[in-house]
Amino acid sequence: MKVAPSILTADFRNLEKEIRLIDSAADYIHLDIMDGTFVPNLSYGFPVVDAVSKVASCPLDAHLMVVNPQKWFEKFASYGVQMLSFHLEAAGWKSGRYLRQIKKLGMKAGIAVDPDVPVKKLFPYIGKADFFLIMSVFAGFGGQKFIYETIDRVHELQDEIKRRGAECLIQVDGGVGPSNIQALKQAGVDIVVAGSSVIGAEDPVAVIRELQAA
Ligand code: DX5
Ligand code: ZN
C-alpha cells in the first residue's frame, strides 16, 4: 500500500520539521487545496506548496477542492507536482478535457468524488484518468470519521476497472488509519491519504510504515 500523508492538520509553525519527518517514510505528500467555495473551508495556497516542494524529496500529490480547477494546472506543474486531482462535481462535462490538460503538463491526472457521488459516474473516465480519488469523508476538513460504505464503492469501481482490463489506480482519502487499512487493501486500493492518523500520532513514521505494510 502506498501512503500519502496530508499536511492539512500539520503544525504550520514547524512545517519544515513536519515535512522532513514524514518525507523520510512517505510515498507521496498530499496537498489539500481548498477555496472556500467548492468546500466550506480555506486551506493554503502557492506559498505553502512552494515551501513544501523545496523541502520534500518524495513526489507531491495535490488534491484540488476548488471551482474552476483548470486555472491552476500549470502552476502546480511548475512546482513539480506529480499527481493532480480535481473534483468531478466541480468539473462536470469538462472532466475529460481537464484530464488531457493535466497529462499534457506531465502529471498523473486524477478525478476525485465526494461520498454522495455514485461511482458509476467515474466509469466514462476509466482508461482516461491515471487515478481516481474516492473520498471516504466529505471534502473540506481533516480529522473526520471514515465512512464505511466507501469499501463497497471501491469494490464497485475496482470490478469495473478489471472488467475493462484498464490501468488505473484507486486512492482513498479521509479518516484512513490502522483500523480500516486492511479493508481498503482488500478492496483493491492502491494509495491511501492519511492526515490526522499520521500527523497526530506520537510516532508518525511508525504509522506510515504500519499502513504501508498492509
Ligand atoms: C479532506 C481532505 C483530506 C484530509 C485527510 O477534505 O481531502 O485529505 O485532510 O485528513 P484525515 O486523514 O484527517 O481525514
Ligand atoms: Zn485530500
Side-chain angles (χ1 to χ4, degrees), residues 123-137:
F123 289 0
Y125 304 101
I126 294 175
K128 294 179 180 147
D130 294 305
F131 68 102
F132 291 118
L133 191 171
I134 305 296
M135 290 301 298
S136 37
V137 301

Side-chain angles (χ1 to χ4, degrees), residues 30 32 63 65 173 193:
H30 184 84
D32 285 305
H63 172 196
M65 287 161 274
D173 181 3
V193 176

Side-chain angles (χ1 to χ4, degrees), residues 20-26 198 201-212:
R20 287 199 194 285
L21 183 64
I22 57 176
D23 188 59
S24 63
V198 166
E202 210 162 292
D203 186 348
V205 170
V207 178
I208 294 171
R209 296 212 192 286
E210 184 181 350
L211 299 177
Q212 284 168 332

Side-chain angles (χ1 to χ4, degrees), residues 38-107:
F38 180 72
V39 287
N41 194 12
L42 282 171
S43 57
Y44 48 78
F46 293 118
V48 171
V49 175
D50 182 37
V52 175
S53 74
K54 284 177 175 147
V55 177
S57 63
C58 60
L60 304 181
D61 159 40
H63 172 196
L64 306 185
M65 287 161 274
V66 304
V67 296
N68 298 319
Q70 78 287 357
K71 278 190 184 172
W72 318 111
F73 294 165
E74 275 186 39
K75 191 96 177 174
F76 279 95
S78 76
Y79 288 115
V81 164
Q82 292 192 13
M83 294 176 67
L84 188 65
S85 58
F86 58 86
H87 271 258
L88 181 69
E89 306 93 301
W93 62 272
K94 293 180 181 159
S95 296
R97 184 198 304 171
Y98 292 173
L99 290 174
R100 288 192 296 277
Q101 287 174 354
I102 293 172
K103 288 183 181 182
K104 217 168 160 190
L105 289 163
M107 298 178 282

